[in-house]
Structures are given as structure tokens and as C-alpha cells.
Amino acid sequence: MESRYREESFLEVAVEVTILLISCCGTILGNVMVLVAVVMKEKLHSPTYFYYLSLAASDLILGVLCIPLVIAAFVLHHWPLGDTLCQIYAVLISFSVNSAIVTLTIISVDRYNALSKPLETMAEMTVTKRHYKLIIAASWVHSIFWAIGPLFNWGSTKLDEFTHTCNPNWGGEGLANKSYMLSLAIFAFALPVGAMVYTYFRIYRIARASKRKNVYNLIPSKNETEENAEAAMTKTHASNAGPDEDNKALKTVLLLVGSFAACWALYSLATVWKLINPSSVPPWIVRGGLVLTLCNSCINPFIYSIRDGIMKQEIKGLIFKRFCKSS
């Protein structure tokens, strides 16, 4: 397929490929550590950590199968493996991205329930623990359903002249194309992302309210002696997570939403731009959007898992054990 714009310069390709290589290595390393830790450590056999495992598995598909193909396409300036494998690539990357988005939404709801209803909904949480495998399976079925549509002529894929890879044909004509793209945009992206952002906003407000409550409880009243005030402060620290934990929760929320928005903003802009006026889209926006979106699979394991104290401790234990065996 001939390109209608100048070939990328060596510097542009070098920067893009370098970022993708780092992202590929980080994606594989980070997500493999998460998978091994969750599978091997019984302490991590709980719904939250199995959600992390599901997220790591979908991100690992990108790192092992998709990112190397994007690197090859960028270096060669064309898709190297034929039309059939290009369509399979489009299905794989669509499935992996859809699965990651849905799993991030599930994690956000899980964290909201744990933070907002730690005691009142223990019965509901028990039901969730019994059915978390079903929740994960449903998220994967949901992702597969939206990814394989073009294989059954509901929607279509096309070779992108900017990235030299196949992706959903957002500008396709006909009822099948338009209905698929509209449904994909709403049910596979807009609704899960909207739910995730709203849930983390609620988590942010709960954490802020908890922080203010802790500060208020640390202020002694006029009737308290110094001894009573010290006892009240000790009791408050014992019964609450404390300002440090609240600050950590707030920083995590900001990292979660901020990294997702940063990685997806350019890709979303490029997609909308191509729908409105495809002939005027700068190639660097399309290529940069794809690169940043793929980088999200590298960032996820470090934010969602390694910032988790228990997960971090177990991964350190595995690494230490491995090095001890080697020596």
C-alpha cells in the first residue's frame, strides 16, 4: 500500500522503536512477575489479586505478540506478514486493549467496595469472592466478542498507512461497519472508562474525607488534659490507617487516572480526527498515539500491583529467592 505522506525520518523511527522496545521489555518483565507471584503465593489467592492476574495476562499478550509486530512494521515501513496475519493482529490487540479496560474497571469497583463498605457489605463481598472467576471469565468473553466482530463481517479492519498495522476501520461505510464501530466505541470503551473514572472520583472523595477526619480527631478538645490528649491521639492512630495511608491512596488514584489519560489521549484524538477529516491528520499524532497506548501495558503492573504493599513484598521475595538459588 502506497503512503500519501513522506517516509518517516530515521530519527522519528529510532525514537518510536526505542520507546516500544523499552515498553515491550517492561511489559513482559512486569506482567510475568505479577503472574508468577499470584500463581505461586497462596497469600495472593484472593479476588483482587486475581483481577491483577487477569490484567497482567491481557497486557502480556500485547508485550509478547503485538508490540514486536508494531516494531517490525515501523522499521520496515510496511506490514511484513500478509493480510491474514494483519487481521489476526488487529483481533489480538483489540482483545487485549478491551480486556485491560474492562479489568481496570472491575479493579476500580473492587477497590471502591473495599474502601466504602468494609464491614457493611461483608456478605456481598463473600458472594463476590465465590464468583470472581465468573466475573473474570465474563470480562474476557466481553472482550473476545468485540474483538472478533470483523472476522464475521460485522465491521472491518484496514491497513493504516501511518502505522503500517491493521486496526478497526472507523470510517467504514455501510450499516454493519457503522453499527459495529458505534457499539465498540460505546460498550467497549466509553461505558467502562466512564465507570472507572467515576469510581475513582468517588474513591478520591472518600480518601479525602477520611484524611480530614483523621486530622480532626487528632485535635484535642479544651477539656482534655495533655495525658488524655495523648491517649486520644494514640487511639486514633490505632483505629485509622492514618494520613500517610490516605496520601498514598490519593497518589495512587491520581497515578491511575493520570497514566490512563496520558496514554490514551493522543490515540483518542487521532481517532476522532480521522473520522472528521482523515486527509488532514498529521502522521506523528497517529503513530505517537499508538506508541503511548501500547506503553500503558508497561505502566499497569507497576501502578496496580507493585505499589500494592503485599504484592511488592511477595515479588521481592521471589526475586531474592531466585538470586539465592543462582548464587
Side-chain angles (χ1 to χ4, degrees), residues 14-69:
V15 171
E16 292 164 348
V17 168
T18 300
I19 294 173
L20 287 173
L21 282 171
I22 295 172
S23 177
C24 185
C25 294
T27 298
I28 294 173
L29 178 62
N31 288 293
V32 165
M33 287 194 301
V34 172
L35 287 171
V36 172
V38 174
V39 170
M40 294 185 61
K41 296 296 184 177
E42 191 173 349
K43 185 188 292 186
L44 302 179
H45 290 180
S46 67
T48 297
Y49 294 107
F50 277 107
Y51 297 148
Y52 290 161
L53 184 145
S54 176
L55 178 63
S58 60
D59 283 339
L60 196 59
I61 292 174
L62 284 178
V64 173
L65 299 176
C66 297
I67 297 180
L69 293 176

Side-chain angles (χ1 to χ4, degrees), residues 231-249:
M233 291 173 67
T234 303
K235 182 179 178 181
T236 300
H237 280 294
S239 60
N240 293 284
D244 290 340
E245 290 298 320
D246 290 327
N247 288 334
K248 184 177 180 181

Side-chain angles (χ1 to χ4, degrees), residues 135-189:
I135 293 173
I136 293 173
S139 70
W140 281 60
V141 170
H142 167 91
S143 304
I144 292 172
F145 173 80
W146 292 111
I148 65 175
L151 297 181
F152 297 93
N153 297 319
W154 186 36
S156 62
T157 60
K158 72 171 185 175
L159 185 66
D160 190 288
E161 61 179 336
F162 297 153
T163 64
H164 315 294
T165 60
C166 285
N167 55 30
N169 184 11
W170 292 98
E173 298 295 331
L175 179 61
N177 274 320
K178 291 185 180 298
S179 63
Y180 173 74
M181 292 306 161
L182 181 62
S183 301
L184 183 68
I186 294 174
F187 295 106
F189 187 80

